[in-house]
Amino acid sequence: MAQSDTVERILDAAASLFAERGFAETSLRMITSEANVNLAAVNYHFGSKKSLIQAVFSRFLSPLSAELNERLALLRQATSDITAQQLVGCLFESLMASTEKEGENPAQFMQLLALAYAQTQEHLRHYIMAEHGASYVEFTRLLREALPDIEPDVFYWRLCFMLGASMFTLSAFDSISGILKSDYGKETSVDDAVALLIPAVIGMLESSK
Amino acid sequence: MAQSDTVERILDAAASLFAERGFAETSLRMITSEANVNLAAVNYHFGSKKSLIQAVFSRFLSPLSAELNERLALLRQATSDITAQQLVGCLFESLMASTEKEGENPAQFMQLLALAYAQTQEHLRHYIMAEHGASYVEFTRLLREALPDIEPDVFYWRLCFMLGASMFTLSAFDSISGILKSDYGKETSVDDAVALLIPAVIGMLESSK
DNA sequence: TAGGAATTCAAACGCTCTTTTGGAACATAC
DNA sequence: GTATGTTCCAAAAGAGCGTTTGAATTCCTA
């Protein structure tokens, strides 16, 4: 069994358990037993539980940042009048493309983000901001430029509405789509949910009310 | 020092620390030392940490359910054509009224709810649904009736968008309003944020797109 | 195929946690 | 003023945690 195998199995198990239960609620013993590796493997390969948590986020965030940076750069050089619609489209395309490339689950990713948000994990906040904050700041800046007529504070609150709606919806995707399946026999993919989400958040952002 | 004093002080400290740090990240030692009571007081008055968590939620949810039930009943007997706008108004009024009555913090309440959602705390989910699920189900039923032309699955997703935007915004209220204050010198109250939030979520619910 | 580095493993260490315990302090009622 | 029930407290029990250790094993290269 090569090292990469152990490391990947730990990351898979950790991502799944963290997303479902939370960080402190998930012990290294749960993770290593789920991953079928020895307890000491986490500290051997990652150094500590904190570092493991950061590694789990890195696996999601690095490809997302890369995708988003690339798409934003393309958009900037294609036109100088970028619309909010294009930017929001970029964001969700990046999310879906980056998770698909890595064979990951966007719903699980959003569960982890929601968790990182809800629990004030200082070390994680700092780490995420230091490693991946630039893409987010750039996205916000461009969106602000695309919506110059909105008062700054209103813009900020609407950005918040957008993030909340997106994060909550995708993080709850599994349970919502399960309910829809059993109650209405309706099969829904993440792409279907995103297709509904995009016009909704754009409507909120651009609203004149 | 009467019992009620100790119990209240524990609940206050627990709500504040849970909201800020998470459930497992907050030890009974932190809570009892913050509350200036003996460590054993939690187990004496509440039985266990789990029960304390439930009690913290109960203190928020019971007044909210009561307020919401009352307002929904009034609305039902006032008119048979209830609008989505009226229902969303009811929900936020109930939230603000119930927290104000009890001298509580709506942002803290939403932080706790977001936490309960993010971490799959089975005992808590069951408890909340069993004790307070009825009001939520009734609200959803009335909202569904107010928006009969929307496909059932689209309705469900939009409900999700609404909950996400509301929960996230209010749970992040302290940090957002802090940023607005320091960046734009703009002072924002929770009511201001809710005043922006209501038209935004109603727009999402009623949209024809 | 021998040797050295990388990885895995069982066991234990030290720590913090929730919960329990039995008695002390207090209030209330007879 | 004593009896009774409630509340508080210091201490310890018992369980689980992250981490460390050193030996065993596997892997790779020379």
Side-chain angles (χ1 to χ4, degrees):
Chain A
M1 187 187 306
Q3 163 187 348
S4 64
D5 211 45
T6 298
V7 169
E8 286 304 310
R9 286 225 307 281
I10 291 174
L11 284 172
D12 288 342
S16 157
L17 287 168
F18 283 151
E20 192 184 341
R21 312 171 42 88
F23 303 118
E25 290 82 354
T26 303
S27 69
L28 294 186
R29 286 171 171 80
M30 292 179 198
I31 293 171
T32 52
S33 106
E34 169 95 4
N36 269 309
V37 302
N38 185 272
L39 170 61
V42 169
N43 285 278
Y44 176 74
H45 286 290
F46 296 94
S48 68
K49 186 179 180 181
K50 271 188 185 177
S51 305
L52 170 62
I53 294 176
Q54 292 176 0
V56 167
F57 274 82
S58 218
R59 199 167 56 149
F60 282 106
L61 285 172
S62 294
L64 172 59
S65 290
E67 285 281 340
L68 185 58
N69 284 336
E70 198 177 317
R71 279 157 206 266
L72 290 182
L74 282 173
L75 208 55
R76 270 195 309 259
Q77 75 185 63
T79 168
S80 61
D81 268 351
I82 307 178
T83 66
Q85 176 133 25
Q86 287 173 311
L87 285 166
V88 173
C90 252
L91 185 62
F92 283 103
E93 281 168 24
S94 304
L95 172 66
M96 300 307 286
S98 69
T99 46
E100 188 173 4
K101 254 186 204 165
E102 314 283 324
E104 283 153 357
N105 179 353
Q108 189 182 80
F109 178 21
M110 287 296 135
Q111 279 169 39
L112 287 168
L113 268 192
L115 206 56
Y117 202 88
Q119 307 185 227
T120 310
Q121 296 258 331
E122 263 329 301
H123 76 100
L124 192 51
R125 245 213 229 300
H126 286 150
Y127 169 79
I128 290 178
M129 265 315 189
E131 294 293 303
H132 309 280
S135 321
Y136 169 75
V137 169
E138 173 66 357
F139 173 83
T140 307
R141 190 184 67 75
L142 290 172
L143 191 62
R144 183 78 194 96
E145 279 179 14
L147 300 165
D149 297 334
I150 300 177
E151 310 257 316
D153 59 321
V154 175
F155 169 78
Y156 226 95
W157 285 114
R158 288 186 182 172
L159 191 64
C160 207
F161 304 163
M162 177 183 97
L163 289 179
S166 307
M167 232 165 65
F168 183 86
T169 302
L170 292 182
S171 73
F173 175 81
D174 290 342
S175 75
I176 305 283
S177 71
I179 290 168
L180 290 179
K181 177 79 170 70
S182 68
D183 284 10
Y184 306 106
K186 177 99 181 182
E187 205 79 65
T188 319
S189 69
V190 178
D191 291 284
D192 295 335
V194 170
L196 288 170
L197 185 54
I198 287 179
V201 303
I202 290 174
M204 270 198 309
L205 284 174
E206 294 180 334
S207 165
S208 56
K209 261 190 277 194
Chain B
M1 188 187 306
Q3 163 185 348
S4 65
D5 212 45
T6 298
V7 168
E8 287 302 311
R9 287 225 305 282
I10 291 174
L11 284 173
D12 287 342
S16 156
L17 288 168
F18 284 151
E20 190 183 340
R21 316 170 40 88
F23 302 117
E25 289 83 353
T26 304
S27 68
L28 295 185
R29 284 173 166 79
M30 292 179 197
I31 294 171
T32 52
S33 106
E34 169 96 5
N36 269 309
V37 302
N38 185 271
L39 171 61
V42 169
N43 284 278
Y44 174 74
H45 286 290
F46 297 93
S48 68
K49 186 177 181 180
K50 271 188 186 177
S51 306
L52 170 61
I53 294 175
Q54 293 175 359
V56 167
F57 275 82
S58 216
R59 199 169 52 149
F60 282 105
L61 285 172
S62 295
L64 173 58
S65 291
E67 284 282 340
L68 185 59
N69 284 336
E70 198 176 315
R71 280 156 204 266
L72 290 181
L74 282 173
L75 207 55
R76 267 195 311 257
Q77 76 184 61
T79 168
S80 61
D81 268 349
I82 307 178
T83 65
Q85 176 131 25
Q86 288 174 313
L87 286 166
V88 172
C90 252
L91 185 61
F92 282 101
E93 280 168 25
S94 304
L95 173 66
M96 300 306 287
S98 68
T99 47
E100 189 174 4
K101 253 186 207 167
E102 314 283 324
E104 285 153 356
N105 179 353
Q108 189 181 80
F109 179 22
M110 286 297 136
Q111 279 168 39
L112 287 168
L113 266 193
L115 208 54
Y117 248 98
Q119 310 183 223
T120 311
Q121 296 256 334
E122 260 332 299
H123 76 101
L124 192 52
R125 248 218 226 304
H126 285 151
Y127 169 77
I128 290 178
M129 265 317 192
E131 292 297 300
H132 308 281
S135 323
Y136 169 75
V137 168
E138 173 66 355
F139 174 82
T140 307
R141 190 184 67 74
L142 290 172
L143 191 62
R144 182 80 194 94
E145 278 179 13
L147 299 166
D149 297 333
I150 300 177
E151 311 255 316
D153 58 322
V154 175
F155 169 79
Y156 226 97
W157 285 114
R158 288 185 183 172
L159 191 64
C160 206
F161 304 161
M162 177 184 98
L163 289 179
S166 308
M167 230 164 68
F168 184 85
T169 302
L170 293 182
S171 75
F173 175 81
D174 290 342
S175 75
I176 304 284
S177 71
I179 289 169
L180 289 180
K181 178 78 170 67
S182 67
D183 284 11
Y184 307 105
K186 177 101 183 179
E187 206 77 64
T188 320
S189 70
V190 178
D191 291 284
D192 296 334
V194 170
L196 287 171
L197 184 54
I198 288 179
V201 303
I202 290 173
M204 270 198 309
L205 284 174
E206 294 180 333
S207 164
S208 54
K209 261 188 277 192

